[in-house]
Amino acid sequence: MKRQAPSTKFSTRRLLLAFCAALVVTPALPAPAQQPDAPSASKPDSALQADIASVVDPPAGADPEAMLPHFSNSRFWLSGQANFIFQAHPPFHAPYSGPNSLGAHYDKATSRVLTLYSGVRLNNSTELLVDIEEAGGAALSTGLGLAGNTDLDIVRNPLLSKAPYVGRAMIHKVFALSQDKIENQRSFLSLFDELPRRRLELRFGKFSLPDFFDLNSVGSDTHFQFNNWTIDNNGAWDYAADTRGYTVGATADFEDRNWGFRFAEALMPKVANGIDLVWRPWQVHAEDFQYELRRGVIPKKPGAIRLLTYSNAANMGIYRQAIASFEAGLTPVPEITNHAWRITRKYGFGINLEQNLTRYLTAFARFSWDNGKTESFAYTEVDQTFSTGLGANGAWWRRKQDRAGLAFVTNAIGKDHQTYLADGGLGFLLGDGHLNYGRENIVESYYTAHVWRGIYLAPGVQHIQNPGYNRDRGPVLVPTFRAHIEF
């Protein structure tokens, strides 16, 4: 790959090293008390598809080092991870608060997600994959008050059971459409050592849609990269999921040399942010489509362009109708859930760009939009978002297991959604009782350091302007400290 001129490389390197040094000297925070709450679905680097990894020039040592050796027999997979994220914020300006506000007083919280990944390859084209997950801890303000929440590892319902549960359980079948093979990066989502270059992959069972859609190599992983919901994922993609981030359904994935097309059919929850799914796919369902072109926007440098669109059909409210009922005096405040059972649609699209700048520095950007008239239902309260950032691999400064990143995201909601919140309405995440609308702008940075045999420590910080789209509140500074163990 063509490299930058020495002067440019040296200057960029100095800037990055200065940024990393600033993170390392972030002051230590007091140890938190464990409180009840729950987890999410997170995605390690190894989950990224082999085709993408082979095109987006992978730095040396990109695979995370584990504490324990894995099976030498490639028919089986057994690994695990533990992810602990501590966050806090000081008091911030807030002349008023509502039931779903981010608390304006000092707060701290620690989330925990423990996962056991297992799998067995039944033959050369079929495998069975099962993950068991356990989670606990707490979220800042129980996960309320932010569209771009600061910790993707929390679950938005603190009353959920803390017992271990099945996170993923799926059958993966590969149909060869060509004779030639490519090397596959084995992971908990695919145990094959190699795959046909042209193929059709089918999956059935329980999974998380972000396991397969809208990925990029530097902005999709709470274990080693960013923690914010709208940086790790596409904020306006209201993807089908229960409270923990999982759904049941099927995916079909056609892959060719430089492009791929992916489709998913999945179940939706009964209520917004609900744990129970509706088992009537002929009525309540979600469709997701993604086209991926593995080609950079900069000539002769690897990259990828991903185009996503989705459509959800579920028992979702309409903001304008909730506002009309309030204005007619039928409800004391707008209530998005105050309607008979009826199926409405929500749809949107997204663009995800990934581009290698040097062998060790990768840029990414996402833009997405949804129709904004239908209730935010499964992921978060965002109707339009734009994010961009940089990820660097530590091999650049001779720390091949380290990572560093810096990203910015700006989130927005539609006019009906704004009016609903301004009139005192509550979403499943937001509701200050009033709203002086402004875009929610967030900057996040982190440095992940490998300290010993699968143990990683990561200081970071997030700065949030207009939390919950409210100019009257904030800004908020959220220091973060993450401890991650790979087994």
Side-chain angles (χ1 to χ4, degrees):
M1 183 180 72
K2 185 178 178 181
R3 294 184 179 274
Q4 293 178 312
S7 60
T8 305
K9 182 176 179 182
F10 176 74
S11 148
T12 307
R13 191 171 189 174
R14 287 184 62 185
L15 287 173
L16 183 63
L17 289 174
F19 157 67
C20 296
L23 282 181
V24 170
V25 299
T26 300
L29 297 168
Q34 198 75 3
Q35 299 177 17
D37 206 321
S40 87
S42 51
K43 309 173 286 295
D45 286 1
S46 59
L48 299 178
Q49 299 172 78
D51 284 347
I52 299 171
S54 66
V55 174
V56 180
D57 193 7
D63 293 341
E65 181 177 320
M67 181 175 290
L68 303 174
H70 294 168
F71 280 127
S72 56
N73 186 333
S74 62
R75 283 194 59 219
F76 300 97
W77 182 273
L78 186 65
S79 67
Q81 70 84 31
N83 211 49
F84 303 87
I85 298 177
F86 170 70
Q87 296 186 329
H89 68 74
F92 61 88
H93 174 73
Y96 56 87
S97 296
N100 287 3
S101 292
L102 181 70
H105 301 293
Y106 169 77
D107 195 11
K108 62 183 180 181
T110 301
S111 66
R112 177 184 80 242
V113 179
L114 312 176
T115 314
L116 177 67
Y117 304 107
S118 67
V120 57
R121 197 174 72 238
L122 304 178
N123 53 44
N124 289 334
S125 65
T126 309
E127 58 189 7
L128 177 64
L129 307 168
V130 178
D131 303 345
I132 305 297
E133 203 163 72
E134 186 275 336
L140 297 173
S141 299
T142 65
L144 300 174
L146 294 170
N149 194 283
T150 56
D151 183 357
L152 191 55
D153 273 9
I154 59 101
V155 160
R156 296 147 289 187
N157 183 354
L159 302 179
L160 284 181
S161 168
K162 305 304 184 293
Y165 54 89
V166 176
R168 301 172 182 85
M170 72 187 94
I171 297 173
H172 179 204
K173 177 72 175 179
V174 179
F175 295 91
L177 302 178
S178 68
Q179 296 296 323
D180 54 329
K181 305 282 188 179
I182 60 170
E183 184 179 351
N184 180 50
Q185 184 181 358
R186 296 179 75 241
S187 76
F188 70 92
L189 290 173
S190 180
L191 311 186
F192 300 110
D193 293 307
E194 58 182 16
L195 290 167
R197 183 174 295 280
R198 183 181 294 110
R199 63 193 182 276
L200 176 65
E201 298 187 49
L202 300 180
R203 296 175 187 263
F204 305 90
K206 184 179 182 183
F207 50 81
S208 179
L209 282 168
D211 288 337
F212 311 111
F213 290 78
D214 195 51
L215 292 170
N216 65 59
S217 66
V218 292
S220 292
D221 182 7
T222 60
H223 292 172
F224 296 100
Q225 300 168 352
F226 301 99
N227 293 316
N228 192 278
W229 288 12
T230 52
I231 293 176
D232 269 336
N233 286 330
N234 175 337
W237 176 32
D238 203 18
Y239 64 86
D242 63 16
T243 312
R244 291 188 171 109
Y246 297 102
T247 187
V248 174
T251 68
D253 183 4
F254 174 80
E255 294 295 332
D256 207 336
R257 181 180 298 271
N258 293 317
W259 65 279
F261 183 79
R262 195 165 297 123
F263 168 74
E265 185 75 30
L267 301 183
M268 290 285 290
K270 288 182 179 179
V271 298
N273 188 39
I275 191 63
D276 296 318
L277 301 174
V278 179
W279 293 84
R280 296 196 298 275
W282 56 92
Q283 286 184 321
V284 178
H285 50 84
E287 290 79 40
D288 297 83
F289 306 84
Q290 179 175 285
Y291 172 75
E292 181 177 281
L293 178 64
R294 293 180 279 275
R295 181 174 299 171
V297 296
I298 300 177
K300 299 183 180 180
K301 286 188 178 291
I305 302 169
R306 303 172 183 91
L307 305 178
L308 172 73
T309 186
Y310 75 94
S311 174
N312 296 340
N315 181 35
M316 299 178 285
I318 304 296
Y319 289 114
R320 188 169 297 174
Q321 293 178 3
I323 295 166
S325 295
F326 162 67
E327 291 175 345
L330 301 179
T331 58
V333 293
E335 296 178 16
I336 195 67
T337 58
N338 184 34
H339 59 82
W341 175 274
R342 43 95 184 276
I343 303 303
T344 56
R345 284 193 175 271
K346 189 180 189 74
Y347 57 88
F349 69 87
I351 302 171
N352 181 340
L353 304 177
E354 181 174 353
Q355 178 64 59
N356 272 36
L357 303 179
T358 73
R359 178 169 175 78
Y360 304 113
L361 187 65
T362 302
F364 75 92
R366 286 186 177 100
F367 173 79
S368 60
W369 171 94
D370 67 44
N371 62 320
K373 300 181 183 300
T374 310
E375 175 184 10
S376 294
F377 204 70
Y379 186 48
T380 189
E381 296 194 47
V382 174
D383 297 325
Q384 186 227 81
T385 186
F386 171 76
S387 63
T388 185
L390 292 170
N393 187 275
W396 193 1
W397 53 94
R398 300 182 182 179
R399 293 274 305 171
K400 65 180 182 180
Q401 290 291 328
D402 290 9
R403 295 166 176 80
L406 177 66
F408 167 76
V409 62
T410 178
N411 301 318
I413 51 176
K415 185 63 178 178
D416 292 347
H417 200 163
Q418 295 173 32
T419 303
Y420 174 81
L421 294 175
D423 287 343
L426 300 178
F428 71 87
L429 289 176
L430 304 181
D432 294 331
H434 184 59
L435 184 68
N436 179 12
Y437 179 73
R439 295 183 71 100
E440 185 182 76
N441 299 321
I442 302 168
V443 176
E444 180 178 2
S445 63
Y446 74 90
Y447 186 93
T448 300
H450 180 232
V451 295
W452 180 76
R453 290 193 60 175
I455 299 176
Y456 300 80
L457 300 179
V461 67
Q462 298 180 53
H463 181 272
I464 303 147
Q465 183 182 22
N466 306 329
Y469 308 107
N470 200 334
R471 293 179 185 270
D472 292 340
R473 310 181 85 247
V476 186
L477 188 69
V478 182
T480 297
F481 190 82
R482 176 177 56 211
H484 178 79
I485 305 173
E486 283 282 315
F487 296 104

